[in-house]
Amino acid sequence: YGEDMAELAAAKYEGNSLPISSTDDFIVNPAVSQACADAFGSVVVTVSDLGHSYSFYGTDPTTVNALNAALVTFLVTDLAGAE
């Protein structure tokens, strides 16, 4: 993958996006999530202690609830009426 991967993807995509980053995700560097957010004109949702799988295997209710709230807000607000 090149350093301009996010920009290349954004040039071909016209929809809304919700980049998510976890403070302990050792697979996707937070800088990659931020580059995607910058390229897509969106904001990164950063959660803690959910690793790379986010809420699928998270056990901390506060963190899982924060991620779920961000996802619901995105679905209702950013995708409402989107075609």
Side-chain angles (χ1 to χ4, degrees):
Y1 298 105
E3 291 192 21
D4 59 349
M5 181 179 65
E7 291 81 8
L8 291 171
K12 297 179 184 251
Y13 180 74
E14 296 179 5
N16 297 320
S17 68
L18 180 65
I20 300 169
S21 180
S22 180
T23 57
D24 64 344
D25 185 343
F26 300 109
I27 296 173
V28 177
N29 187 299
V32 172
S33 298
Q34 187 59 56
C36 289
D38 294 344
F40 286 99
S42 56
V43 176
V44 175
V45 172
T46 302
V47 294
S48 60
D49 305 324
L50 288 180
H52 185 68
S53 61
Y54 306 119
S55 67
F56 300 112
Y57 303 106
T59 58
D60 177 60
T62 302
T63 303
V64 172
N65 288 339
L67 177 57
N68 290 341
L71 291 171
V72 168
T73 299
F74 174 73
L75 293 172
V76 171
T77 304
D78 295 332
L79 298 183
E83 297 183 25

